[in-house]
Amino acid sequence: MKVVFAIIDGFRANSLDTLSLVSVIPRFPDGYTNVCGGVLIAPSIAMTAAHCVFLNNEFAITAKVTLGDVSLSEEDDGEQEFRSHAMAISKKFGSGIPEANDDVAIVFLPKRTNVCESPVSSQIARLPTTVSINFKETPKIPSNFQLENSICWIAGWGKTENKTASHSDSVLQMMVKLVVRRIGNKKYLMAKGIVGSSRACMGDSGSPVYCFIDGRRTLIGTVAHIGSFVKMSQHDPSNHLQFCRDFEYAFISDWRESSARIVEILENYGELYQLEEGQTLCFGSGNF
């Protein structure tokens, strides 16, 4: 099942809204590659969607992660590129039907990034405190009401035409309204484009969802999927755009829930300290 998502009818991204955005281009043993989004959450740790780096029960053999990437085909000023062979996913992903909050992965970078040197340079994402982890420098757990009434957006690369590998070369952005919906006995965080006919679609999996919380750009989650994984994998790839337009809402891996999976992964690898270190580095007392 090789499915990733992208933004349809988005606009050129505001650089200040994407300072922690990374592009993630994994390569699998059979030679298959795709384009995904991701987000820097610690000095040498990026987060993306699990299905971006784990397909058909095997991990990508490598992932190119680029911080400060604007154009995929050109080297941008200040971009930092890394090649990683170390990835990990939530234990819950892949067991049965994938859930949006389980669709998270960690990509360990081979060295630390250079971040937070100025208010307009690359940054680690501002992470809200959750029941799984507490940060001194960042907002408390946002309520559903707060999220549903905040200014929010998604940014990423991906398919904008019904052609093979026709992802956007430039990072695109769309403004979204977040809602919490109950499906069966579970609640899901979902995002709907609010300008024109903008939609999430193939190519934007793993891309960050940000909101202004207490006046600050804050990571809320990452794009998981639209519709369902099963329907998406069965759909004709020559007409993906119509499939995406049929679904107003994208499922979001909600940081308030998925942070528990991330904490578990990082604890297992002895890297949990990096989350607090990153928040202090970029948002501690005296920083912007």
Side-chain angles (χ1 to χ4, degrees):
M1 180 172 58
K2 300 177 178 179
V3 180
V4 291
F5 302 89
I7 291 174
I8 299 172
D9 296 335
F11 56 89
R12 193 72 175 262
N14 178 349
S15 61
L16 294 179
D17 289 338
T18 58
L19 296 177
S20 59
L21 173 70
V22 299
S23 62
V24 180
I25 303 179
R27 182 166 62 87
F28 289 84
D30 63 0
Y32 173 74
T33 64
N34 59 35
V35 175
C36 285
V39 58
L40 190 71
I41 61 170
S44 62
I45 296 173
M47 180 172 68
T48 187
H51 72 267
C52 286
V53 299
F54 187 77
L55 291 173
N56 300 322
N57 294 316
E58 64 180 358
F59 277 99
I61 56 176
T62 186
K64 185 176 78 168
V65 178
T66 308
L67 176 65
D69 206 1
V70 176
S71 172
L72 295 177
S73 64
E74 300 177 2
E75 183 175 346
D76 301 296
D77 291 340
E79 78 172 27
Q80 302 173 56
E81 181 181 306
F82 306 88
R83 301 276 178 167
S84 174
H85 302 279
M87 291 153 256
I89 62 172
S90 164
K91 291 180 180 179
K92 294 185 177 181
F93 184 80
S95 57
I97 298 175
E99 294 284 350
N101 291 330
D102 300 328
D103 192 5
V104 287
I106 288 296
V107 182
F108 295 100
L109 307 182
K111 63 179 182 179
R112 294 168 67 94
T113 53
N114 296 318
V115 292
C116 300
E117 296 174 345
S118 79
V120 296
S121 66
S122 294
Q123 297 180 11
I124 292 165
R126 187 184 296 271
L127 305 175
T129 285
T130 71
V131 295
S132 301
I133 188 165
N134 181 64
F135 300 112
K136 298 177 182 178
E137 314 293 347
T138 55
K140 295 181 180 180
I141 306 173
S143 66
N144 289 344
F145 178 83
Q146 194 172 11
L147 293 184
E148 291 178 339
N149 290 278
S150 294
I151 297 173
C152 305
W153 63 95
I154 297 171
W157 302 263
K159 206 168 187 182
T160 54
E161 299 178 37
N162 282 323
K163 297 178 182 178
T164 302
S166 58
H167 53 264
S168 173
D169 184 63
S170 298
V171 60
L172 298 178
Q173 179 175 350
M174 73 172 184
M175 307 306 295
V176 297
K177 176 176 176 56
L178 299 184
V179 297
V180 176
R181 286 193 166 181
R182 181 179 292 278
I183 300 177
N185 62 352
K186 295 183 179 181
K187 292 182 179 180
Y188 296 93
L189 183 64
M190 307 179 78
K192 175 186 178 181
I194 58 175
V195 178
S197 58
S198 56
R199 296 284 192 276
C201 195
M202 282 65 71
D204 198 41
S205 296
S207 291
V209 182
Y210 302 100
C211 292
F212 276 110
I213 303 295
D214 297 332
R216 297 179 180 274
R217 295 174 177 87
T218 303
L219 182 71
I220 299 303
T222 50
V223 176
H225 61 91
I226 63 171
S228 73
F229 280 113
V230 174
K231 290 182 179 180
M232 199 69 197
S233 64
Q234 295 173 345
H235 195 75
D236 179 5
S238 68
N239 195 27
H240 273 153
L241 295 195
Q242 186 56 53
F243 179 91
C244 297
R245 292 186 191 281
D246 288 343
F247 289 90
E248 287 187 304
Y249 291 90
F251 284 79
I252 305 303
S253 182
D254 186 344
W255 172 255
R256 298 174 299 177
E257 299 291 334
S258 64
S259 59
R261 285 69 159 173
I262 297 303
V263 166
E264 181 180 22
I265 292 171
L266 296 181
E267 281 183 332
N268 289 340
Y269 285 89
E271 297 289 344
L272 183 58
Y273 72 93
Q274 279 209 50
L275 291 186
E276 181 65 51
E277 179 185 355
Q279 296 303 293
T280 301
L281 173 67
C282 288
F283 310 114
S285 178
N287 291 354
F288 41 87

